[in-house]
Amino acid sequence: QVQLVESGGGLVQPGGSLRLSCAASGNIFSIEDMGWYRQAPGKQRDLVAQITTGGRTNYADSVKGRFTISRDNAKNTVDLRMNSLKLADTAVYFCYVKYLGVTYWGQGTQVAVSS
């Protein structure tokens, strides 16, 4: 089993920055993809960014140029640096990892962008 613990959410003004972190623990040998989804109230959960073991990244069009995903394979962590935050970025952010073909999810961390 893989356990995920997220941190770093909070309240920020438009144009501000936040950094989300997610740490995976358990009897892990090698994690495959890692990334972040988000879900706004009344909407579906959408992909924000993902990163492969080799470091290849993929971003939602709405966050390109503003968000940066990174991972530390030795520590089994994945971070999401969010700059130039907009009201539309308000959501619960969930990290995920794929391990041995199974997707595991974090509990979610709230990001609220408000003036």
Side-chain angles (χ1 to χ4, degrees), residues 60-98:
D61 288 342
S62 60
V63 307
K64 284 180 180 177
R66 300 188 297 121
F67 291 12
T68 303
I69 190 170
S70 60
R71 65 186 283 173
D72 185 325
N73 291 330
K75 296 181 179 179
N76 291 324
T77 59
V78 58
D79 290 351
L80 184 68
R81 177 68 179 174
M82 305 184 293
N83 295 325
S84 302
L85 283 161
K86 304 176 180 180
L87 297 176
D89 294 318
T90 295
V92 178
Y93 285 69
F94 298 89
C95 76
Y96 79 94
V97 302
K98 286 187 178 179

Side-chain angles (χ1 to χ4, degrees), residues 36-50:
W36 295 86
Y37 275 69
R38 67 186 180 187
Q39 187 168 20
K43 296 189 176 182
Q44 66 181 21
R45 190 177 295 189
D46 291 324
L47 176 68
V48 176
Q50 61 189 169

